Amino acid sequence: MDKIELLQARKQQLLDAGKVIREEINKLIDKDSFVELSAFSFSESEFYGDKAEGEGVVTGFATINDYPYYIVAQNSQVLNGGISNANCKKIFKCLEQAEKNGTPVIYLLSSLGVRVGEGVNVLEGIAALLSKAAQLKGVVPQYLVVNGEVYGQIALLSGICDFNFFIDKKSVLATSSPLVITASAGENVPKEKIGSAQAIEKSQLATIVVKGFEDVKSKIVSLSELLSVGVVDCEDLNRSIPSLKTSVSAKNLLSVFDKGSVVELGAGYCAEVKCVLARIGGISVAAVIFDGEDGVELCACKARKLRNFAELASNYALPYITFVNTLGIKATPQAANSPVIGELAGYVGVLNTLDTAKISVVTGKAIGLGYTLFAAKSMGYDFTYAFANSKIALFDSVQGAEIELVKDKKTDMGKLAAKYADENSDPINAAKGGYIDNIIEPSFVRQYIIASLQMLIK
């Protein structure tokens, strides 16, 4: 067999071994745009007695809507997508190229864990891989698709990547396999109850849940455009939002953004804190909407979501907008014995690293800590606006003030009631102190935000 025939035979061997994963890559990318890297890399598994074609992972680069990405796709058809040291080295090499070229990375993960027989070698490989991915955080966007079952240490990548996609009824992510967890629990635990998006909601790893693989592409395109193109043309700069006159709901507040531009992150957990990437007046922004009819009370879960989102905004220099309707920390024993204080302190730290425009709009209540964290000028907000019917105060009610402040019978209850009556908790009092830049009609909030962004963005 001559060299050309040998090359063709080896190519066919690789294509046969990676037929399924290459089909899925092709669903994601522009037609015929994939260029494979390190294709002929493979090692021998002493334990299985088989060759790991392509090291069980396909790497390369391609375009999606003419925008370049590096692709890392585990091939579950080769030794169950088992992780090896050579497998990690191949991925590491791809990440080095992405770092050098400033190009986003897409991971398609499907692995049942490390390959038996690798020993400490695979642990060193995983450590190097995780370290390199962590170095890329904030340098280039990293998108992870849980493309089936993902078990073992490679699952830690999901805690590093900017966006994790879970495919409904397909994706399962856990650091231990169902067999290990079942043995430990002493009962049969289905994989869906171990690592589905719903099962791990408290981990906050399922950034975006999609119905099928085909939905991943459109979401990645939308996110990439928001992160890479800061400003685009917008034709309806002066559009008002009449629906906000009657209801300051999250649904109506989402109408403030440019049509078709909103991508919500973490919709499956802590739903009262909506975190979205979108455009307003053609400008890419990160925005938080507190979605609670009578004000949102904070807990550790919501605080962590806020912290992670603010970190994303900081990493990619996105203007940060907060629509405030919150009462501060929930007053329960459970909240007191939780990481909520540490998480909120971390949020303050991240907020102060945001070297971009920060705008706050008090849409409902900004009570106590709810004002301090999300509306106070001293927290670094460039502009703070308030709806005319919003409420800004130290306490939410006269009763709340009584609980906190009444220590003895000398307290003048009449003065206390007057001070914290509803009519004295409107934004006018905060505006008198110079802390509110303007009190606005809800319908025109879009124009105010756009004008403010145009003044602030560099």
Side-chain angles (χ1 to χ4, degrees), residues 198-213:
Q198 295 75 24
I200 63 169
E201 61 172 325
K202 290 183 180 179
S203 73
Q204 302 196 6
L205 292 174
T207 315
I208 298 175
V209 179
V210 295
K211 291 183 178 180
F213 191 84

Side-chain angles (χ1 to χ4, degrees), residues 13-14 38-57 78-79 82-90 115 118:
Q13 189 176 358
L14 282 169
S38 304
F40 293 100
S41 170
F42 62 87
S43 58
E44 184 105 15
S45 170
E46 294 180 7
F47 186 84
Y48 291 101
D50 293 329
K51 290 181 179 179
E53 300 289 351
E55 300 303 352
V57 61
V78 175
L79 302 180
I83 305 296
S84 67
N85 188 29
N87 179 290
C88 292
K89 285 181 177 179
K90 185 173 177 179
R115 293 181 199 164
E118 280 276 326

Side-chain angles (χ1 to χ4, degrees), residues 1-13:
M1 182 180 290
D2 65 27
K3 293 295 179 69
I4 299 297
E5 290 178 342
L6 180 61
L7 175 63
Q8 291 174 341
R10 286 176 173 171
K11 276 186 176 180
Q12 190 58 49
Q13 189 176 358

Side-chain angles (χ1 to χ4, degrees), residues 57-105:
V57 61
V58 177
T59 62
F61 57 87
T63 60
I64 302 177
N65 276 24
D66 298 322
Y67 192 83
Y69 298 83
Y70 277 90
I71 309 289
V72 173
Q74 288 182 312
N75 185 1
S76 61
Q77 304 300 306
V78 175
L79 302 180
N80 294 318
I83 305 296
S84 67
N85 188 29
N87 179 290
C88 292
K89 285 181 177 179
K90 185 173 177 179
I91 299 172
F92 185 95
K93 183 179 177 181
C94 185
L95 298 188
E96 281 188 316
Q97 290 294 317
E99 182 179 35
K100 181 179 179 180
N101 299 326
T103 304
V105 180

Side-chain angles (χ1 to χ4, degrees), residues 172-173 178 181 187-196 198-200:
V172 178
L173 179 80
I181 293 175
E187 61 177 308
N188 185 28
V189 185
K191 63 183 181 181
E192 293 78 12
K193 291 189 177 181
I194 291 172
S196 67
Q198 295 75 24
I200 63 169

